[in-house]
Every structure is written in C-alpha cells, then in structure tokens.
Amino acid sequence: MQIQGHSAIVTGGGSGMGAATARMLAGCGARVALLDVNRGAAATVAQEIGGIAIGCDVSDAGSVESALAEARAQHGAARIAVNCAGVATAGRIVGRDGPLDLAAFKRVIDVNLVGTFNVLRLAAFGMSALDPLEGGERGVIVNTASVAAFEGQIGQAAYAASKGGVVSLALPAAREFARFGVRVMTIAPGLIATPMLLGMPQEVQDSLSASVPFPNRLGDPSEYALLVRHIVENAMLNGEVIRLDGAIRMQPR
C-alpha cells in the first residue's frame, strides 16, 4: 500500500520512535494524527509536520475511542495505524524490599499490551469497513514489541511479559483480519536512542552501544520509521515479527 494520500494514526507520537514515524508518514504524504498521553509533546511534532495532536491514554477504552473518532472527523478513516506508546518500569520480581508491587506490574501490562490491543481492535474495526484498494488491501497495523520479549533481563519481568504478549498477538490478529485485507505486523526493536535511553548517564549509553554487534551503536528512531515504511509498502509482510537490533542478544543483566 502506498502511503501518500492516506490517513494514519501513531500512538506515542510525541517522542522517540513514534515521532520519527509520524515525520516519515507525513513526509510520504499521509495525513497524520499523533496520539499521546502527553498532548503537548505530540502538539510540537504535529505542528512541525502539519498533523494533528490528540491526548490519549491507550490503556483506556473510552480515551482511544474518542481519539480515533476525532482523528477520523479531521482526516478521514485511517488505513495506517502504528502503535508506539509504551512504558518501561524496572523492578525485580523479588527485590530487597520484598515482591514487586502488583500495581506496577499491571500498569506496564495495561499500557504496553492492553493499550496495543485496544488500538488494534478499534483501528481494525474502522479499516474493515473501508473500500478495498488495489489488491484487496484495506489497511495495515504495526505494533511495537522489543527484543526483551525474547531475552528479558533481570528486572524486566513486567516489560518482557508485556512485549511477549505483543509478539504473540501478531499472528492470530493477522489471520483473523486477513478476510478484511488488513495486515498486522510487529517490530521488535533492540537498543534505540529514545529519550528513555538518552536520559541515562553517558557511560551507560556507551556500554549499551558497545553491546550491539553491528552497527556498533544505538539504533536511531528514524531506522524504526524506515522499517515501518517498508512494512506499509510491502503487501507480503503480514503476521510476522521483525527484530530491529543489530544482531544483539540481551544478557541476563
């Protein structure tokens, strides 16, 4: 599916991989709605690219329903949806102060997994009612997992579990939506230079960069966006998870 002329929604569009994806889509001629719990951050990017910013908590059903309705009213029904919203809360299952707080675990699951599913279900519902394009395609949804889904480190139990759920969601969703011509793909990034990583001390960033076999550096959010572009444009990509990680395999700690 070509990007130009279509409407797109990007969650987590105010920063990092979401912002890079929004810029790429707008640069390819899409009408982009940026959904983010931090509406101010999304508005800054939206103003830059000529998109719209909508405050949205992806873990809340009503919030996403309202956000998609607003995006549809301004841009028309979306044929492209990219899920980049996420949180990372570190904590051992059993630490020095006792077991991990259950509310902290649930919050990560709610945002990363339930939030992804929430946007997926509503975006796919909207796409399923659209007229098919050439080849029968109606839309494409790209979800974001992580290499932690496969090699979760100590202290990443909640994050790894949430991203493992996102990985497992790709194939059954793609199979279910095949009759509508809606594709579902998942990207599992490795170490990407997002605000979360760039906020770490320089020595930590250097250590993380050194752990990537090649290229021997942190990934750039624009490289994530470039992969999103290829997924959208390549109709044979469906129901799969692509690692974007420079061949890294995470160690236990």
Side-chain angles (χ1 to χ4, degrees):
M1 180 172 64
Q2 294 303 307
I3 295 172
Q4 185 172 5
H6 294 311
S7 296
I9 58 171
V10 180
T11 71
S15 64
M17 294 181 292
T21 299
R23 292 186 180 102
M24 178 278 295
L25 290 169
C28 291
R31 300 181 297 276
V32 185
L34 296 83
L35 279 55
D36 203 300
V37 70
N38 184 344
R39 189 186 180 284
T44 298
V45 180
Q47 184 175 21
E48 171 194 334
I49 65 173
I52 58 172
I54 305 171
C56 179
D57 176 357
V58 296
S59 68
D60 181 82
S63 181
V64 176
E65 289 170 4
S66 176
L68 293 191
E70 182 176 344
R72 186 167 55 250
Q74 295 198 48
H75 282 171
R79 289 191 185 270
I80 301 166
V82 186
N83 273 308
C84 292
V87 295
T89 301
R92 290 174 178 255
I93 300 170
V94 179
R96 284 175 294 191
D97 298 325
L100 180 68
D101 180 58
L102 189 58
F105 182 89
K106 284 184 174 180
R107 177 59 180 162
V108 175
I109 299 295
D110 279 347
V111 174
N112 294 355
L113 178 54
V114 177
T116 294
F117 179 78
N118 193 14
V119 175
L120 170 81
R121 71 187 181 95
L122 295 170
F125 176 72
M127 292 174 188
S128 68
L130 298 176
D131 292 333
L133 302 172
E134 184 178 358
E137 191 168 17
R138 285 185 169 88
V140 58
I141 300 168
V142 181
N143 296 327
T144 305
S146 166
V147 296
F150 310 103
E151 300 117 32
Q153 297 182 296
I154 292 171
Q156 283 189 321
Y159 186 71
S162 70
K163 295 301 188 178
V166 174
V167 165
S168 297
L169 184 60
L171 185 58
R175 286 172 164 172
E176 179 178 340
F177 301 155
R179 67 192 180 102
F180 300 122
V182 174
R183 295 186 289 120
V184 180
M185 284 290 293
T186 298
I187 299 173
L191 300 174
I192 307 295
T194 60
M196 180 178 66
L197 278 181
L198 294 177
M200 294 179 177
Q202 188 60 50
E203 59 269 22
V204 174
Q205 293 184 47
D206 293 342
S207 175
L208 291 172
S209 298
S211 68
V212 182
F214 187 83
N216 191 214
R217 58 171 174 79
L218 299 178
D220 190 270
S222 65
E223 292 167 320
Y224 173 95
L226 185 63
L227 182 52
V228 171
R229 176 175 180 174
H230 184 71
I231 288 171
V232 173
E233 293 179 343
N234 190 332
M236 279 301 289
L237 287 174
N238 194 16
E240 188 54 88
V241 180
I242 301 176
R243 292 181 65 130
L244 183 69
D245 61 11
I248 196 172
R249 296 298 181 268
M250 304 294 285
Q251 299 303 305
R253 58 168 62 85

